[in-house]
């Protein structure tokens, strides 16, 4: 496991530990099937095992981690049916975020989206897929931020606890397929075309989904 967890202070310890692990999942720093060890995480974050164990159990309850045994905690490998259900929800919710973002975006919002796409292209050009995956996630969440829909963003965050690892595992294979529709989203937002923005982000999710479904990152168990 290459991801470096941040050392944390003692204020609001349990929540900070939880957010630290959740962030790694959402950003795709942890891949499907990756094993997490409570003592190793506690040592890396400079805390006792109790808040780490509590955070792990909370993420298990949320479906983001799989507790096979107290000593075997893993990032789940999603079944295709579960992936397709989450994707269907994302199509609706992220479509709504893009639609609203197109109606409300100002020049600064558009500049941030341009920078994210540029940074993602740069990461892909040097094959830094970890950074590219993280930037991809930020782009998607930025639409909800621009739309000023914090409740929707919170729902997306919960979905991306499970989506982050899957997208990360397929990102290298997908390459520019994973971001080519981001330009369409940006173009639609520039001219405040809400329906075009909605369709563009849906196309992005479906295009990336084709890569995921054709790869070996999902479970093949019946």
């Amino acid at each position: 496991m290459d991801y470096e967890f941040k050392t944390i202070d003692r204020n609001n310890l349990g929540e900070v530990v939880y957010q630290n692990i959740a962030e790694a999942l959402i950003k795709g720093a942890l891949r499907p099937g990756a094993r997490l060890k409570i003592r190793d995480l506690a040592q890396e974050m400079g805390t006792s095992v109790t808040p780490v164990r509590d955070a792990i159990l909370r993420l298990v309850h949320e479906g983001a981690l799989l507790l096979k045994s107290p000593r075997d905690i893993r990032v789940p490998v999603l079944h295709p049916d579960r992936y397709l259900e989450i994707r269907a929800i994302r199509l609706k919710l992220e479509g709504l975020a893009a639609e609203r973002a197109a109606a409300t975006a100002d020049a600064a919002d558009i500049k941030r989206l341009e920078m994210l796409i540029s940074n993602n292209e740069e990461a892909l050009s040097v094959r830094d897929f970890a950074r590219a995956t993280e930037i991809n996630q930020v782009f998607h969440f930025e639409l909800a931020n621009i739309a000023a829909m914090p409740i929707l963003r919170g729902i997306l965050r919960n979905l991306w606890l499970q989506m982050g690892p899957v997208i990360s595992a397929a990102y290298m294979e997908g390459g520019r397929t994973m971001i080519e529709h981001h330009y369409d989203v940006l173009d639609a937002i520039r001219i405040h075309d809400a329906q075009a923005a909605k369709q563009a982000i849906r196309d992005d999710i479906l295009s990336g989904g084709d890569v995921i479904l054709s790869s070996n990152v999902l479970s093949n168990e019946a």
Side-chain angles (χ1 to χ4, degrees):
M1 186 173 63
D2 296 328
Y3 185 73
E4 294 183 4
F5 287 92
K6 302 172 185 175
T7 301
I8 59 179
D9 59 33
R10 295 296 187 267
N11 296 323
N12 200 17
L13 189 59
E15 182 63 23
V16 177
V17 170
Y18 168 82
Q19 294 294 344
N20 208 358
I21 301 173
E23 182 181 4
L25 290 163
I26 292 169
K27 289 180 176 180
L30 298 172
R31 297 288 186 87
R35 185 178 178 185
L36 281 71
K37 297 180 180 180
I38 291 175
R39 290 192 179 279
D40 289 351
L41 291 175
Q43 183 176 6
E44 191 167 350
M45 287 187 275
T47 185
S48 67
V49 299
T50 300
V52 176
R53 183 183 297 112
D54 291 346
I56 292 291
L57 292 175
R58 181 174 168 186
L59 288 162
V60 168
H61 178 72
E62 293 173 345
L65 292 176
L66 179 63
L67 181 64
K68 291 189 172 184
S69 75
R71 295 183 178 276
D72 192 355
I73 304 156
R74 296 183 183 270
V75 178
V77 180
L78 294 189
H79 188 276
D81 289 347
R82 188 175 183 88
Y83 167 75
L84 289 171
E85 180 181 353
I86 295 172
R87 189 181 74 170
I89 298 169
R90 286 184 62 209
L91 288 170
K92 295 288 187 180
L93 296 184
E94 295 193 36
L96 175 59
E99 185 178 20
R100 185 72 63 85
T104 61
D106 60 21
D109 296 325
I110 293 169
K111 187 68 175 178
R112 285 198 304 277
L113 294 177
E114 290 173 344
M115 183 62 68
L116 287 169
I117 293 174
S118 175
N119 290 344
N120 207 331
E121 289 280 18
E122 179 183 349
L124 286 173
S125 70
V126 296
R127 300 182 64 81
D128 187 348
F129 296 108
R131 181 166 174 261
T133 304
E134 181 177 342
I135 296 169
N136 175 74
Q137 175 265 313
V138 174
F139 181 91
H140 282 260
F141 279 39
E142 189 61 27
L143 297 179
N145 291 338
I146 294 170
M149 301 182 77
I151 296 174
L152 186 148
R153 190 186 188 285
I155 296 171
L156 290 179
R157 182 185 178 283
N158 288 337
L159 295 176
W160 275 70
L161 284 171
Q162 297 177 67
M163 283 295 94
V166 172
I167 293 170
S168 177
Y171 213 87
M172 181 169 66
E173 182 176 339
R176 292 199 70 263
T177 300
M178 309 301 276
I179 67 164
E180 59 185 9
H181 291 289
H182 289 189
Y183 288 98
D184 299 328
V185 175
L186 177 60
D187 288 342
I189 289 177
R190 279 196 185 110
I191 61 173
H192 304 291
D193 188 333
Q195 289 304 308
K198 176 181 179 179
Q199 186 57 53
I201 200 64
R202 287 171 59 88
D203 289 343
D204 176 64
I205 294 168
L206 290 170
S207 179
D210 288 343
V211 175
I212 290 168
L213 290 167
S214 65
S215 66
N216 62 353
V217 302
L218 301 176
S219 171
N220 56 13
E221 295 181 2

mmCIF file of all heavy atoms in Angstrom, residues 3-8 15-25 30 45 157:
data_model
loop_
_atom_site.group_PDB
_atom_site.id
_atom_site.type_symbol
_atom_site.label_atom_id
_atom_site.label_comp_id
_atom_site.label_asym_id
_atom_site.label_seq_id
_atom_site.Cartn_x
_atom_site.Cartn_y
_atom_site.Cartn_z
ATOM 1 N N TYR A 3 -0.075 4.537 -0.487
ATOM 2 C CA TYR A 3 -0.649 5.810 -0.036
ATOM 3 C C TYR A 3 -0.118 6.172 1.346
ATOM 4 O O TYR A 3 -0.027 5.323 2.228
ATOM 5 C CB TYR A 3 -2.170 5.701 0.013
ATOM 6 C CG TYR A 3 -2.872 6.993 0.342
ATOM 7 C CD1 TYR A 3 -2.951 8.016 -0.596
ATOM 8 C CD2 TYR A 3 -3.453 7.194 1.577
ATOM 9 C CE1 TYR A 3 -3.595 9.198 -0.316
ATOM 10 C CE2 TYR A 3 -4.114 8.376 1.873
ATOM 11 C CZ TYR A 3 -4.178 9.369 0.912
ATOM 12 O OH TYR A 3 -4.826 10.541 1.211
ATOM 13 N N GLU A 4 0.260 7.447 1.532
ATOM 14 C CA GLU A 4 0.780 7.917 2.813
ATOM 15 C C GLU A 4 -0.321 8.658 3.563
ATOM 16 O O GLU A 4 -0.790 9.706 3.120
ATOM 17 C CB GLU A 4 1.977 8.843 2.597
ATOM 18 C CG GLU A 4 3.188 8.138 1.997
ATOM 19 C CD GLU A 4 4.371 9.059 1.871
ATOM 20 O OE1 GLU A 4 4.268 10.220 2.318
ATOM 21 O OE2 GLU A 4 5.404 8.615 1.344
ATOM 22 N N PHE A 5 -0.749 8.106 4.676
ATOM 23 C CA PHE A 5 -1.777 8.740 5.483
ATOM 24 C C PHE A 5 -1.172 9.873 6.299
ATOM 25 O O PHE A 5 -0.027 9.795 6.748
ATOM 26 C CB PHE A 5 -2.448 7.717 6.404
ATOM 27 C CG PHE A 5 -3.364 6.783 5.666
ATOM 28 C CD1 PHE A 5 -2.897 5.578 5.178
ATOM 29 C CD2 PHE A 5 -4.687 7.126 5.449
ATOM 30 C CE1 PHE A 5 -3.734 4.716 4.489
ATOM 31 C CE2 PHE A 5 -5.530 6.278 4.759
ATOM 32 C CZ PHE A 5 -5.054 5.075 4.278
ATOM 33 N N LYS A 6 -1.951 10.943 6.487
ATOM 34 C CA LYS A 6 -1.475 12.110 7.201
ATOM 35 C C LYS A 6 -1.428 11.860 8.705
ATOM 36 O O LYS A 6 -2.316 11.228 9.260
ATOM 37 C CB LYS A 6 -2.401 13.298 6.934
ATOM 38 C CG LYS A 6 -2.533 13.663 5.466
ATOM 39 C CD LYS A 6 -3.617 14.716 5.290
ATOM 40 C CE LYS A 6 -3.848 14.993 3.807
ATOM 41 N NZ LYS A 6 -4.985 15.936 3.615
ATOM 42 N N THR A 7 -0.383 12.360 9.328
ATOM 43 C CA THR A 7 -0.342 12.362 10.786
ATOM 44 C C THR A 7 -1.391 13.361 11.282
ATOM 45 O O THR A 7 -1.550 14.436 10.724
ATOM 46 C CB THR A 7 1.040 12.777 11.291
ATOM 47 O OG1 THR A 7 2.005 11.867 10.768
ATOM 48 C CG2 THR A 7 1.086 12.746 12.819
ATOM 49 N N ILE A 8 -2.101 12.995 12.342
ATOM 50 C CA ILE A 8 -3.209 13.829 12.803
ATOM 51 C C ILE A 8 -2.992 14.242 14.254
ATOM 52 O O ILE A 8 -2.206 13.635 14.985
ATOM 53 C CB ILE A 8 -4.551 13.093 12.673
ATOM 54 C CG1 ILE A 8 -4.526 11.794 13.484
ATOM 55 C CG2 ILE A 8 -4.843 12.789 11.215
ATOM 56 C CD1 ILE A 8 -5.812 11.019 13.428
ATOM 57 N N GLU A 15 -13.228 11.488 14.131
ATOM 58 C CA GLU A 15 -13.714 12.024 12.860
ATOM 59 C C GLU A 15 -12.570 12.281 11.897
ATOM 60 O O GLU A 15 -12.685 12.023 10.690
ATOM 61 C CB GLU A 15 -14.496 13.318 13.110
ATOM 62 C CG GLU A 15 -15.093 13.934 11.859
ATOM 63 C CD GLU A 15 -16.129 13.060 11.186
ATOM 64 O OE1 GLU A 15 -16.717 12.182 11.863
ATOM 65 O OE2 GLU A 15 -16.347 13.243 9.969
ATOM 66 N N VAL A 16 -11.450 12.761 12.400
ATOM 67 C CA VAL A 16 -10.311 13.045 11.530
ATOM 68 C C VAL A 16 -9.739 11.754 10.944
ATOM 69 O O VAL A 16 -9.397 11.695 9.757
ATOM 70 C CB VAL A 16 -9.219 13.825 12.289
ATOM 71 C CG1 VAL A 16 -8.003 14.046 11.407
ATOM 72 C CG2 VAL A 16 -9.762 15.167 12.756
ATOM 73 N N VAL A 17 -9.665 10.709 11.766
ATOM 74 C CA VAL A 17 -9.188 9.413 11.270
ATOM 75 C C VAL A 17 -10.124 8.896 10.184
ATOM 76 O O VAL A 17 -9.684 8.436 9.121
ATOM 77 C CB VAL A 17 -9.083 8.396 12.423
ATOM 78 C CG1 VAL A 17 -8.828 6.998 11.872
ATOM 79 C CG2 VAL A 17 -7.963 8.787 13.377
ATOM 80 N N TYR A 18 -11.411 9.003 10.448
ATOM 81 C CA TYR A 18 -12.403 8.555 9.462
ATOM 82 C C TYR A 18 -12.235 9.314 8.148
ATOM 83 O O TYR A 18 -12.195 8.711 7.063
ATOM 84 C CB TYR A 18 -13.819 8.748 10.007
ATOM 85 C CG TYR A 18 -14.891 8.592 8.950
ATOM 86 C CD1 TYR A 18 -15.343 7.337 8.568
ATOM 87 C CD2 TYR A 18 -15.432 9.719 8.321
ATOM 88 C CE1 TYR A 18 -16.304 7.204 7.575
ATOM 89 C CE2 TYR A 18 -16.389 9.595 7.339
ATOM 90 C CZ TYR A 18 -16.825 8.338 6.975
ATOM 91 O OH TYR A 18 -17.771 8.209 5.990
ATOM 92 N N GLN A 19 -12.141 10.638 8.227
ATOM 93 C CA GLN A 19 -12.019 11.448 7.021
ATOM 94 C C GLN A 19 -10.726 11.135 6.266
ATOM 95 O O GLN A 19 -10.697 11.169 5.025
ATOM 96 C CB GLN A 19 -12.071 12.944 7.374
ATOM 97 C CG GLN A 19 -13.398 13.409 7.933
ATOM 98 C CD GLN A 19 -14.532 13.336 6.936
ATOM 99 O OE1 GLN A 19 -14.309 13.221 5.724
ATOM 100 N NE2 GLN A 19 -15.754 13.405 7.427
ATOM 101 N N ASN A 20 -9.682 10.825 7.002
ATOM 102 C CA ASN A 20 -8.397 10.505 6.388
ATOM 103 C C ASN A 20 -8.499 9.247 5.522
ATOM 104 O O ASN A 20 -8.031 9.210 4.374
ATOM 105 C CB ASN A 20 -7.357 10.305 7.494
ATOM 106 C CG ASN A 20 -5.946 10.622 7.051
ATOM 107 O OD1 ASN A 20 -5.703 10.967 5.916
ATOM 108 N ND2 ASN A 20 -5.002 10.491 7.976
ATOM 109 N N ILE A 21 -9.120 8.207 6.069
ATOM 110 C CA ILE A 21 -9.271 6.960 5.319
ATOM 111 C C ILE A 21 -10.280 7.135 4.193
ATOM 112 O O ILE A 21 -10.074 6.654 3.064
ATOM 113 C CB ILE A 21 -9.683 5.807 6.253
ATOM 114 C CG1 ILE A 21 -8.636 5.609 7.351
ATOM 115 C CG2 ILE A 21 -9.865 4.513 5.463
ATOM 116 C CD1 ILE A 21 -9.038 4.614 8.425
ATOM 117 N N ALA A 22 -11.383 7.836 4.482
ATOM 118 C CA ALA A 22 -12.404 8.066 3.462
ATOM 119 C C ALA A 22 -11.829 8.823 2.270
ATOM 120 O O ALA A 22 -12.136 8.524 1.109
ATOM 121 C CB ALA A 22 -13.585 8.825 4.063
ATOM 122 N N GLU A 23 -10.991 9.805 2.544
ATOM 123 C CA GLU A 23 -10.375 10.593 1.472
ATOM 124 C C GLU A 23 -9.525 9.708 0.561
ATOM 125 O O GLU A 23 -9.528 9.869 -0.665
ATOM 126 C CB GLU A 23 -9.524 11.701 2.079
ATOM 127 C CG GLU A 23 -8.862 12.611 1.061
ATOM 128 C CD GLU A 23 -7.994 13.681 1.699
ATOM 129 O OE1 GLU A 23 -7.845 13.672 2.936
ATOM 130 O OE2 GLU A 23 -7.470 14.512 0.959
ATOM 131 N N ALA A 24 -8.808 8.761 1.155
ATOM 132 C CA ALA A 24 -7.991 7.848 0.358
ATOM 133 C C ALA A 24 -8.857 6.999 -0.562
ATOM 134 O O ALA A 24 -8.480 6.704 -1.699
ATOM 135 C CB ALA A 24 -7.150 6.964 1.271
ATOM 136 N N LEU A 25 -10.028 6.594 -0.085
ATOM 137 C CA LEU A 25 -10.953 5.807 -0.905
ATOM 138 C C LEU A 25 -11.534 6.651 -2.032
ATOM 139 O O LEU A 25 -11.552 6.238 -3.191
ATOM 140 C CB LEU A 25 -12.080 5.249 -0.036
ATOM 141 C CG LEU A 25 -11.693 4.139 0.946
ATOM 142 C CD1 LEU A 25 -12.765 3.980 2.011
ATOM 143 C CD2 LEU A 25 -11.482 2.819 0.205
ATOM 144 N N LEU A 30 -6.669 3.956 -2.762
ATOM 145 C CA LEU A 30 -6.775 2.554 -2.372
ATOM 146 C C LEU A 30 -7.529 1.809 -3.473
ATOM 147 O O LEU A 30 -8.595 2.249 -3.903
ATOM 148 C CB LEU A 30 -7.513 2.420 -1.034
ATOM 149 C CG LEU A 30 -6.835 3.098 0.157
ATOM 150 C CD1 LEU A 30 -7.745 3.067 1.380
ATOM 151 C CD2 LEU A 30 -5.505 2.423 0.474
ATOM 152 N N MET A 45 -0.639 7.214 11.183
ATOM 153 C CA MET A 45 -1.357 8.442 11.508
ATOM 154 C C MET A 45 -1.019 8.963 12.895
ATOM 155 O O MET A 45 -1.521 9.998 13.317
ATOM 156 C CB MET A 45 -2.863 8.222 11.366
ATOM 157 C CG MET A 45 -3.316 8.130 9.913
ATOM 158 S SD MET A 45 -5.117 8.073 9.716
ATOM 159 C CE MET A 45 -5.423 6.320 9.916
ATOM 160 N N ARG A 157 -20.375 12.083 -2.321
ATOM 161 C CA ARG A 157 -19.213 11.666 -1.545
ATOM 162 C C ARG A 157 -19.375 10.229 -1.068
ATOM 163 O O ARG A 157 -18.442 9.429 -1.133
ATOM 164 C CB ARG A 157 -19.017 12.600 -0.354
ATOM 165 C CG ARG A 157 -17.811 12.292 0.499
ATOM 166 C CD ARG A 157 -17.753 13.192 1.715
ATOM 167 N NE ARG A 157 -16.611 12.857 2.548
ATOM 168 C CZ ARG A 157 -16.580 11.785 3.360
ATOM 169 N NH1 ARG A 157 -17.616 10.977 3.430
ATOM 170 N NH2 ARG A 157 -15.497 11.539 4.082
#
